Amino acid sequence: MEKRIAWKLFKRELFQGQLLLIILAITLAVLSVTGLARVSERLQIAINGQASKFIAADRIINSPTPIDPTIVTTAQSMGLKHVASMQFNSMAFANDNFQLITVRAVGQGYPLKGKIELSTGVTDTLPQAGTLWYETRLGGILAYPKSLEVGNAEFSLSAEIARLPDAGFNPFASSPVVLMRLEDVDKTGVIQPGSRVSYIHQFAGEESQLKTFEATVKPLLNNSQRWVDVQSGDSPIASAVKRAERFLLLASLLGIALACAAIGIAAQRYCQRHFDVVAMLKTFGASSKQIRILFGLHLLFVTGLGIVLGLIGGLALDALITAYLPQAIADYGAPLARPLLLGVATGLISAFMFSAYPLMRLLSIPPLRVLQRQLEGLQLGMWLHLLLSLAAMALLGYLYSQSLALTMTVVAGVLLLGVLLSLFGFLLIRAGHSVGMKTTNPLQLALAGLRRRAKQNAVQLVGFSSALVLLLTIIALRQDLLDEWQKQLPAQSPNYFLVNISPDEQQPLTDYFSQNDINATDIYPVIRGRLVEINGETLISSEQAEEGVEGRVGISRELNLTWRDDLPPNNDLLEGTFNQAADEVSIESGVAERLGVGIGDSLTYIIDNQRLTVKITSVRGVHWETLQPNFFMIFSQEALAPFAYTSMASFYLEDSQKHLVLDLIKGFPTVSIIDVGAMVKQLRQIIDQVSLSLTLVLVLVLLASSLVMIAQTEAGMATRQRELAVLRTFGASGWLLRMATALEFALLGVISGILAVIVAEFTLYLLKTQVFELVVYMHWNWWVLAPLSGALIVALLGTWRCRQLLQKSCSELLSA
């Protein structure tokens, strides 16, 4: 019987429009989360797929010793593609010349991602047995020989390498690269016991396979073996990819918060509309159990319909956006199950946990309300409602993002918004108490309306403020990320590097740049040195630490040192003063943290078998992603004057100037030229895709926020209709009511804007310091723009929704 009554009540209210608000809220919740999750996952997969070309695979295991064969067997059993490679240094001979080279010996199938670029174009093949492909600058160094001796074997040089997909970016790697087949390594005889070799195993496959493989294999790796993916430091776009994924996760989390706010508002409004129904049912003898079943089924029907509509809308939204994506992104498929399950979970958890307290109040309505309409049943337990609401939001957020930092940041922002609404918003609304009910002044009437609907308006502030907080946070983060990436790759970023510049070539090279109008950076001296002591304490290597040797761990390789009189571009002075004396050094912040040193500590280096002790006087933040020369340690010129050095520089060439590269090679045969133009171009493509991702997510959040505001203005229409009828009866003009209504919503918008700025600044501080590692600054213009924008948007939405009520006559309002 209860089922039939619930179904009839559901159909009646559905056709009469009584359920539109809550169905719209649940639909919006599921649509936002499903659509954002689906689009975000597609964009994440596309970004990672494009970025994986920088490492020529999806995952890499890099090891100084051969890896356990079972790892390869496991990968093959999971259906992953696999390529084995080796990398080592060797001396190469051609005629009477010799040169230290880096040998890349690759197996069949290399590269798994990306393409090898030769001077003649892109190729899908590998060198033939007994032949080598060589980096262009090796030909200039050795006068373009026909063949090359490596160890015991002689190889013919068959093609010039313009770029390998996983070449990385290291202008200090002065050894030219040659590419050979893996099976040719044995005949060289170069690899002997104790030789320094990197064994590289590259894997590619579906994301689900890779995650399973990672979970299985990573625990088996030792400390000397490294697991590498596109988010590892080896990738030149690691930072951009990480920040983009965090942004997409954050957008979806804010979508969940948006959904929770919408459902909470709708549930409260729904239950308030049924206070009289419950009182009448109890008056006619319905038991508490029957009423619980009735409204429980009713809520289940509403939730089910909202979830179905939301899932359909989310998939339609994904299809619509995908149709406008670049083909390179649209071609990437995204798993369908997770967004759908997340949408269903969002609908169910939000609907029931956010409806718990309003439903408890509804079921506790006494029958006496039929006579005394001011009775509203349960008035205690608000703390339970808040607890359930926060728990639902945190649970959904963590289930989606798997990021405690992101989830807790969103929860902290919600808590602050709740506190401000309680302390600040309610006080402002109550400030209209003293103006009475005068109907001659629109502002006084608007303030009186705020006072009369203090509780209802406090609920409306939740929706309006939440939407504005989301917009401000997403807009600010998107702009900050785009600005950060623009700094990394400004127009005319260097696409060539020069290394091994001798001191007597610096001035001729500078003159050449000036004569040919080449945009070049400063010339940086480079000196190799090893850090051996900190504050007089001898350092040990990481290998010694693994063997059980006690001591302070240093940096297990030689460092590239330089000098400068002023702070380099793309460096930020974090502490101290930059080098002013011969015994001072400036250190990069990451290395300082790794070594556990700071201002005042002394460092001792061995350079050309000589000891040099200096004191740290400044700590720098370095933007490593800028493709500019950067250094861990910067000295004064006086400190490094006794040591021999070479220099490096970078410059930018337009396509029309590419012929100047040949002139440089001929004019400066001992200088090595490294072409990073292809890398810069590919990096720009990735950044463009990331920028597009951020823009699309911003549009989604804008649409979702607008829907929440529209849904929020639905609340209180019945109460407003009664008040308008009373005011019409007492002679209020249409102009007065329209102005008062617009001003009332505008005041709500102003308060929402102020609250939103406070919460957004707090949330951005947490996000920038704990998640995105961005510079924190105040958005002072928001304190004017946000309240004004809030007033305009909310006033327009409110008056638009009330337009029909404002056009009705007194008799029409009373009879409606």
Side-chain angles (χ1 to χ4, degrees), residues 130-182:
T131 66
L132 295 178
W133 290 350
Y134 61 97
E135 193 176 348
T136 304
R137 59 193 176 112
L138 179 62
I141 293 172
L142 297 179
Y144 294 95
K146 299 288 186 181
S147 63
L148 200 67
E149 292 182 30
V150 181
N152 300 326
E154 184 172 357
F155 297 87
S156 60
L157 301 180
S158 59
E160 291 186 14
I161 301 171
R163 182 176 177 271
L164 298 178
D166 56 344
F169 175 70
N170 184 8
F172 301 111
S174 56
S175 302
V177 174
V178 300
L179 192 72
M180 70 165 60
R181 284 186 170 272
L182 188 62

Short mmCIF file of all heavy atoms in Angstrom, two decimals, residues 130-182:
data_model
loop_
_atom_site.label_atom_id
_atom_site.label_comp_id
_atom_site.label_asym_id
_atom_site.label_seq_id
_atom_site.Cartn_x
_atom_site.Cartn_y
_atom_site.Cartn_z
N GLY A 130 75.90 -4.03 -37.90
CA GLY A 130 77.21 -3.58 -38.34
C GLY A 130 77.26 -2.11 -38.73
O GLY A 130 78.29 -1.63 -39.20
N THR A 131 76.17 -1.37 -38.53
CA THR A 131 76.15 0.05 -38.85
C THR A 131 75.74 0.86 -37.62
O THR A 131 75.13 0.34 -36.69
CB THR A 131 75.19 0.38 -40.00
OG1 THR A 131 73.84 0.13 -39.57
CG2 THR A 131 75.50 -0.48 -41.23
N LEU A 132 76.08 2.14 -37.66
CA LEU A 132 75.71 3.07 -36.59
C LEU A 132 74.98 4.26 -37.18
O LEU A 132 75.28 4.69 -38.29
CB LEU A 132 76.96 3.58 -35.85
CG LEU A 132 77.81 2.59 -35.06
CD1 LEU A 132 79.01 3.34 -34.48
CD2 LEU A 132 77.01 1.94 -33.95
N TRP A 133 74.03 4.78 -36.38
CA TRP A 133 73.49 6.10 -36.65
C TRP A 133 74.12 7.04 -35.64
O TRP A 133 74.24 6.72 -34.45
CB TRP A 133 71.97 6.12 -36.49
CG TRP A 133 71.26 5.36 -37.59
CD1 TRP A 133 71.81 4.85 -38.72
CD2 TRP A 133 69.87 5.03 -37.62
NE1 TRP A 133 70.86 4.22 -39.48
CE2 TRP A 133 69.65 4.31 -38.83
CE3 TRP A 133 68.79 5.24 -36.78
CZ2 TRP A 133 68.40 3.83 -39.20
CZ3 TRP A 133 67.55 4.78 -37.14
CH2 TRP A 133 67.35 4.07 -38.34
N TYR A 134 74.53 8.22 -36.09
CA TYR A 134 75.32 9.09 -35.23
C TYR A 134 74.67 10.47 -35.11
O TYR A 134 74.01 10.95 -36.02
CB TYR A 134 76.75 9.23 -35.77
CG TYR A 134 76.84 9.84 -37.15
CD1 TYR A 134 77.11 11.19 -37.31
CD2 TYR A 134 76.64 9.07 -38.29
CE1 TYR A 134 77.17 11.76 -38.58
CE2 TYR A 134 76.69 9.62 -39.56
CZ TYR A 134 76.96 10.97 -39.70
OH TYR A 134 77.02 11.54 -40.95
N GLU A 135 74.91 11.08 -33.96
CA GLU A 135 74.41 12.43 -33.73
C GLU A 135 75.18 13.41 -34.62
O GLU A 135 76.38 13.27 -34.84
CB GLU A 135 74.60 12.80 -32.25
CG GLU A 135 73.85 14.04 -31.83
CD GLU A 135 73.98 14.31 -30.35
OE1 GLU A 135 74.46 13.43 -29.61
OE2 GLU A 135 73.60 15.42 -29.94
N THR A 136 74.47 14.39 -35.15
CA THR A 136 75.04 15.29 -36.15
C THR A 136 76.37 15.90 -35.72
O THR A 136 77.32 15.97 -36.49
CB THR A 136 74.04 16.42 -36.47
OG1 THR A 136 72.81 15.85 -36.89
CG2 THR A 136 74.56 17.34 -37.55
N ARG A 137 76.47 16.31 -34.44
CA ARG A 137 77.69 16.99 -34.02
C ARG A 137 78.90 16.07 -33.99
O ARG A 137 80.04 16.55 -34.04
CB ARG A 137 77.48 17.64 -32.64
CG ARG A 137 77.11 16.70 -31.52
CD ARG A 137 76.63 17.51 -30.33
NE ARG A 137 76.17 16.67 -29.25
CZ ARG A 137 76.79 16.55 -28.08
NH1 ARG A 137 77.91 17.23 -27.86
NH2 ARG A 137 76.29 15.78 -27.14
N LEU A 138 78.70 14.74 -33.92
CA LEU A 138 79.84 13.82 -33.96
C LEU A 138 80.53 13.89 -35.31
O LEU A 138 81.76 13.80 -35.41
CB LEU A 138 79.38 12.39 -33.67
CG LEU A 138 80.48 11.32 -33.70
CD1 LEU A 138 81.52 11.60 -32.61
CD2 LEU A 138 79.89 9.92 -33.51
N GLY A 139 79.72 14.03 -36.37
CA GLY A 139 80.31 14.15 -37.70
C GLY A 139 81.22 15.36 -37.81
O GLY A 139 82.32 15.28 -38.38
N GLY A 140 80.81 16.49 -37.23
CA GLY A 140 81.65 17.69 -37.28
C GLY A 140 82.93 17.52 -36.49
O GLY A 140 84.00 17.99 -36.90
N ILE A 141 82.83 16.83 -35.33
CA ILE A 141 84.02 16.65 -34.49
C ILE A 141 85.05 15.76 -35.17
O ILE A 141 86.25 16.03 -35.12
CB ILE A 141 83.60 16.06 -33.12
CG1 ILE A 141 82.74 17.08 -32.35
CG2 ILE A 141 84.83 15.67 -32.30
CD1 ILE A 141 82.12 16.53 -31.09
N LEU A 142 84.59 14.68 -35.82
CA LEU A 142 85.50 13.70 -36.42
C LEU A 142 85.64 13.87 -37.93
O LEU A 142 86.13 12.96 -38.61
CB LEU A 142 85.00 12.28 -36.10
CG LEU A 142 84.97 11.90 -34.62
CD1 LEU A 142 84.43 10.48 -34.44
CD2 LEU A 142 86.34 12.02 -33.98
N ALA A 143 85.24 15.00 -38.45
CA ALA A 143 85.39 15.32 -39.89
C ALA A 143 84.63 14.34 -40.78
O ALA A 143 85.12 13.96 -41.85
CB ALA A 143 86.88 15.35 -40.26
N TYR A 144 83.46 13.94 -40.35
CA TYR A 144 82.53 13.11 -41.13
C TYR A 144 83.21 11.87 -41.74
O TYR A 144 83.32 11.74 -42.96
CB TYR A 144 81.87 13.94 -42.23
CG TYR A 144 80.98 15.02 -41.69
CD1 TYR A 144 81.47 16.33 -41.52
CD2 TYR A 144 79.67 14.75 -41.30
CE1 TYR A 144 80.67 17.33 -40.98
CE2 TYR A 144 78.87 15.75 -40.77
CZ TYR A 144 79.36 17.03 -40.62
OH TYR A 144 78.57 18.01 -40.08
N PRO A 145 83.64 10.94 -40.89
CA PRO A 145 84.29 9.73 -41.41
C PRO A 145 83.26 8.77 -42.00
O PRO A 145 82.06 8.90 -41.78
CB PRO A 145 84.93 9.14 -40.17
CG PRO A 145 84.03 9.57 -39.05
CD PRO A 145 83.54 10.95 -39.44
N LYS A 146 83.75 7.77 -42.74
CA LYS A 146 82.88 6.74 -43.32
C LYS A 146 82.54 5.66 -42.31
O LYS A 146 81.49 5.03 -42.39
CB LYS A 146 83.55 6.10 -44.54
CG LYS A 146 83.87 7.06 -45.68
CD LYS A 146 82.61 7.48 -46.40
CE LYS A 146 82.96 8.32 -47.62
NZ LYS A 146 81.76 8.78 -48.34
N SER A 147 83.49 5.42 -41.38
CA SER A 147 83.29 4.35 -40.39
C SER A 147 83.84 4.80 -39.05
O SER A 147 84.54 5.82 -38.94
CB SER A 147 83.96 3.06 -40.84
OG SER A 147 85.37 3.26 -40.95
N LEU A 148 83.53 4.00 -38.03
CA LEU A 148 83.90 4.34 -36.65
C LEU A 148 84.26 3.05 -35.92
O LEU A 148 83.56 2.05 -36.03
CB LEU A 148 82.71 5.02 -35.96
CG LEU A 148 83.00 5.87 -34.72
CD1 LEU A 148 83.80 7.10 -35.10
CD2 LEU A 148 81.68 6.29 -34.07
N GLU A 149 85.38 3.08 -35.20
CA GLU A 149 85.78 1.93 -34.39
C GLU A 149 85.29 2.13 -32.97
O GLU A 149 85.56 3.15 -32.34
CB GLU A 149 87.30 1.78 -34.38
CG GLU A 149 87.90 1.38 -35.71
CD GLU A 149 89.39 1.21 -35.63
OE1 GLU A 149 89.88 0.83 -34.53
OE2 GLU A 149 90.08 1.47 -36.63
N VAL A 150 84.55 1.14 -32.47
CA VAL A 150 84.10 1.13 -31.08
C VAL A 150 84.56 -0.19 -30.49
O VAL A 150 84.08 -1.27 -30.87
CB VAL A 150 82.56 1.25 -30.98
CG1 VAL A 150 82.14 1.26 -29.51
CG2 VAL A 150 82.07 2.51 -31.66
N GLY A 151 85.53 -0.14 -29.57
CA GLY A 151 86.09 -1.36 -29.03
C GLY A 151 86.79 -2.17 -30.09
O GLY A 151 87.62 -1.64 -30.86
N ASN A 152 86.40 -3.45 -30.21
CA ASN A 152 87.04 -4.36 -31.16
C ASN A 152 86.34 -4.38 -32.51
O ASN A 152 86.74 -5.14 -33.40
CB ASN A 152 87.06 -5.78 -30.59
CG ASN A 152 87.83 -5.85 -29.29
OD1 ASN A 152 88.82 -5.13 -29.11
ND2 ASN A 152 87.39 -6.71 -28.37
N ALA A 153 85.30 -3.61 -32.67
CA ALA A 153 84.50 -3.69 -33.90
C ALA A 153 84.53 -2.38 -34.66
O ALA A 153 84.71 -1.30 -34.08
CB ALA A 153 83.06 -4.07 -33.56
N GLU A 154 84.38 -2.48 -35.96
CA GLU A 154 84.30 -1.31 -36.81
C GLU A 154 82.90 -1.25 -37.44
O GLU A 154 82.39 -2.24 -37.95
CB GLU A 154 85.35 -1.35 -37.91
CG GLU A 154 85.38 -0.10 -38.77
CD GLU A 154 86.54 -0.06 -39.73
OE1 GLU A 154 87.38 -1.00 -39.70
OE2 GLU A 154 86.62 0.90 -40.52
N PHE A 155 82.30 -0.07 -37.37
CA PHE A 155 80.94 0.12 -37.86
C PHE A 155 80.94 1.20 -38.94
O PHE A 155 81.67 2.19 -38.84
CB PHE A 155 80.01 0.57 -36.73
CG PHE A 155 79.86 -0.43 -35.61
CD1 PHE A 155 80.76 -0.44 -34.54
CD2 PHE A 155 78.84 -1.36 -35.63
CE1 PHE A 155 80.63 -1.35 -33.51
CE2 PHE A 155 78.69 -2.27 -34.59
CZ PHE A 155 79.59 -2.27 -33.54
N SER A 156 80.11 0.99 -39.93
CA SER A 156 79.93 2.04 -40.93
C SER A 156 78.87 3.02 -40.42
O SER A 156 77.92 2.64 -39.75
CB SER A 156 79.48 1.44 -42.26
OG SER A 156 78.25 0.75 -42.11
N LEU A 157 79.06 4.30 -40.73
CA LEU A 157 78.13 5.35 -40.32
C LEU A 157 77.12 5.56 -41.44
O LEU A 157 77.49 6.00 -42.53
CB LEU A 157 78.87 6.64 -40.00
CG LEU A 157 79.93 6.54 -38.89
CD1 LEU A 157 80.60 7.88 -38.68
CD2 LEU A 157 79.31 6.06 -37.59
N SER A 158 75.86 5.22 -41.18
CA SER A 158 74.87 5.19 -42.27
C SER A 158 73.86 6.32 -42.24
O SER A 158 73.22 6.59 -43.25
CB SER A 158 74.13 3.85 -42.25
OG SER A 158 73.47 3.67 -41.01
N ALA A 159 73.67 6.99 -41.11
CA ALA A 159 72.66 8.06 -41.05
C ALA A 159 72.94 8.98 -39.88
O ALA A 159 73.53 8.58 -38.87
CB ALA A 159 71.25 7.46 -40.93
N GLU A 160 72.51 10.24 -40.03
CA GLU A 160 72.65 11.23 -38.97
C GLU A 160 71.36 11.29 -38.14
O GLU A 160 70.26 11.34 -38.70
CB GLU A 160 72.93 12.62 -39.54
CG GLU A 160 74.30 12.78 -40.17
CD GLU A 160 74.55 14.21 -40.59
OE1 GLU A 160 73.77 15.10 -40.16
OE2 GLU A 160 75.50 14.45 -41.35
N ILE A 161 71.52 11.30 -36.83
CA ILE A 161 70.37 11.41 -35.93
C ILE A 161 70.08 12.88 -35.66
O ILE A 161 70.94 13.62 -35.18
CB ILE A 161 70.64 10.70 -34.59
CG1 ILE A 161 70.96 9.22 -34.81
CG2 ILE A 161 69.45 10.85 -33.65
CD1 ILE A 161 71.45 8.52 -33.55
N ALA A 162 68.86 13.29 -35.97
CA ALA A 162 68.44 14.65 -35.60
C ALA A 162 67.96 14.67 -34.15
O ALA A 162 68.28 15.58 -33.38
CB ALA A 162 67.33 15.14 -36.52
N ARG A 163 67.21 13.60 -33.76
CA ARG A 163 66.72 13.53 -32.38
C ARG A 163 66.17 12.16 -32.08
O ARG A 163 65.47 11.56 -32.90
CB ARG A 163 65.63 14.58 -32.15
CG ARG A 163 65.11 14.60 -30.72
CD ARG A 163 64.10 15.71 -30.50
NE ARG A 163 63.59 15.65 -29.16
CZ ARG A 163 62.52 14.94 -28.79
NH1 ARG A 163 61.86 14.25 -29.70
NH2 ARG A 163 62.10 14.92 -27.55
N LEU A 164 66.49 11.65 -30.89
CA LEU A 164 65.86 10.44 -30.36
C LEU A 164 64.71 10.87 -29.45
O LEU A 164 64.82 11.88 -28.74
CB LEU A 164 66.86 9.60 -29.57
CG LEU A 164 68.07 9.06 -30.34
CD1 LEU A 164 69.00 8.30 -29.41
CD2 LEU A 164 67.62 8.18 -31.49
N PRO A 165 63.59 10.13 -29.44
CA PRO A 165 62.43 10.58 -28.65
C PRO A 165 62.72 10.67 -27.16
O PRO A 165 62.15 11.51 -26.47
CB PRO A 165 61.36 9.52 -28.96
CG PRO A 165 62.12 8.34 -29.46
CD PRO A 165 63.32 8.88 -30.15
N ASP A 166 63.61 9.81 -26.64
CA ASP A 166 63.92 9.82 -25.21
C ASP A 166 65.31 10.39 -24.95
O ASP A 166 65.98 10.00 -24.00
CB ASP A 166 63.81 8.42 -24.63
CG ASP A 166 64.69 7.41 -25.36
OD1 ASP A 166 65.14 7.71 -26.48
OD2 ASP A 166 64.90 6.31 -24.82
N ALA A 167 65.73 11.33 -25.81
CA ALA A 167 67.06 11.92 -25.64
C ALA A 167 67.16 12.73 -24.35
O ALA A 167 68.24 12.94 -23.81
CB ALA A 167 67.41 12.80 -26.83
N GLY A 168 66.01 13.20 -23.84
CA GLY A 168 66.02 14.02 -22.63
C GLY A 168 66.59 15.39 -22.92
O GLY A 168 66.81 15.78 -24.07
N PHE A 169 66.83 16.13 -21.85
CA PHE A 169 67.38 17.47 -22.01
C PHE A 169 68.51 17.65 -21.01
O PHE A 169 68.28 17.84 -19.82
CB PHE A 169 66.30 18.52 -21.77
CG PHE A 169 66.84 19.93 -21.82
CD1 PHE A 169 67.26 20.46 -23.03
CD2 PHE A 169 66.95 20.69 -20.67
CE1 PHE A 169 67.77 21.74 -23.08
CE2 PHE A 169 67.46 21.97 -20.72
CZ PHE A 169 67.86 22.50 -21.93
N ASN A 170 69.74 17.54 -21.51
CA ASN A 170 70.91 17.72 -20.66
C ASN A 170 72.03 18.34 -21.47
O ASN A 170 72.83 17.64 -22.08
CB ASN A 170 71.36 16.38 -20.06
CG ASN A 170 72.53 16.55 -19.09
OD1 ASN A 170 72.90 17.67 -18.76
ND2 ASN A 170 73.12 15.44 -18.67
N PRO A 171 72.08 19.66 -21.52
CA PRO A 171 73.12 20.31 -22.31
C PRO A 171 74.53 20.06 -21.80
O PRO A 171 75.50 20.31 -22.49
CB PRO A 171 72.76 21.80 -22.21
CG PRO A 171 71.95 21.91 -20.96
CD PRO A 171 71.20 20.63 -20.85
N PHE A 172 74.64 19.55 -20.54
CA PHE A 172 75.96 19.25 -20.00
C PHE A 172 76.48 17.90 -20.49
O PHE A 172 77.64 17.57 -20.27
CB PHE A 172 75.91 19.25 -18.47
CG PHE A 172 75.47 20.56 -17.90
CD1 PHE A 172 74.25 20.67 -17.27
CD2 PHE A 172 76.27 21.69 -18.01
CE1 PHE A 172 73.84 21.89 -16.74
CE2 PHE A 172 75.87 22.90 -17.48
CZ PHE A 172 74.65 23.00 -16.85
N ALA A 173 75.61 17.10 -21.10
CA ALA A 173 76.05 15.80 -21.61
C ALA A 173 76.78 16.04 -22.94
O ALA A 173 76.18 16.04 -24.00
CB ALA A 173 74.85 14.88 -21.81
N SER A 174 78.08 16.26 -22.83
CA SER A 174 78.85 16.69 -24.00
C SER A 174 79.21 15.53 -24.92
O SER A 174 79.73 15.76 -26.01
CB SER A 174 80.13 17.41 -23.56
OG SER A 174 80.89 16.59 -22.69
N SER A 175 78.98 14.27 -24.50
CA SER A 175 79.34 13.14 -25.35
C SER A 175 78.29 12.94 -26.43
O SER A 175 77.11 12.75 -26.12
CB SER A 175 79.45 11.86 -24.51
OG SER A 175 80.40 12.01 -23.48
N PRO A 176 78.68 12.96 -27.71
CA PRO A 176 77.72 12.71 -28.77
C PRO A 176 77.17 11.28 -28.68
O PRO A 176 77.83 10.37 -28.18
CB PRO A 176 78.55 12.90 -30.05
CG PRO A 176 79.75 13.67 -29.62
CD PRO A 176 80.02 13.27 -28.21
N VAL A 177 75.97 11.09 -29.18
CA VAL A 177 75.27 9.80 -29.09
C VAL A 177 75.38 9.07 -30.42
O VAL A 177 75.26 9.67 -31.49
CB VAL A 177 73.79 10.02 -28.71
CG1 VAL A 177 73.03 8.70 -28.77
CG2 VAL A 177 73.68 10.63 -27.33
N VAL A 178 75.60 7.75 -30.33
CA VAL A 178 75.47 6.87 -31.50
C VAL A 178 74.46 5.79 -31.16
O VAL A 178 74.31 5.40 -30.00
CB VAL A 178 76.81 6.23 -31.92
CG1 VAL A 178 77.83 7.29 -32.28
CG2 VAL A 178 77.36 5.32 -30.83
N LEU A 179 73.74 5.34 -32.17
CA LEU A 179 72.70 4.33 -31.99
C LEU A 179 73.12 3.06 -32.71
O LEU A 179 73.48 3.11 -33.90
CB LEU A 179 71.37 4.84 -32.54
CG LEU A 179 70.12 4.04 -32.18
CD1 LEU A 179 69.76 4.24 -30.72
CD2 LEU A 179 68.95 4.46 -33.06
N MET A 180 73.10 1.93 -32.01
CA MET A 180 73.42 0.65 -32.62
C MET A 180 72.39 -0.39 -32.19
O MET A 180 71.61 -0.17 -31.25
CB MET A 180 74.82 0.18 -32.23
CG MET A 180 74.97 -0.24 -30.77
SD MET A 180 76.48 -1.18 -30.43
CE MET A 180 77.74 -0.03 -30.90
N ARG A 181 72.42 -1.52 -32.86
CA ARG A 181 71.55 -2.63 -32.46
C ARG A 181 72.11 -3.30 -31.21
O ARG A 181 73.33 -3.39 -31.04
CB ARG A 181 71.44 -3.65 -33.60
CG ARG A 181 70.52 -3.20 -34.73
CD ARG A 181 70.33 -4.29 -35.76
NE ARG A 181 69.29 -3.93 -36.71
CZ ARG A 181 67.99 -4.18 -36.54
NH1 ARG A 181 67.58 -4.81 -35.44
NH2 ARG A 181 67.10 -3.82 -37.45
N LEU A 182 71.20 -3.79 -30.38
CA LEU A 182 71.60 -4.42 -29.13
C LEU A 182 72.50 -5.62 -29.36
O LEU A 182 73.46 -5.87 -28.61
CB LEU A 182 70.35 -4.81 -28.33
CG LEU A 182 70.56 -5.31 -26.91
CD1 LEU A 182 71.20 -4.23 -26.05
CD2 LEU A 182 69.24 -5.75 -26.30
#
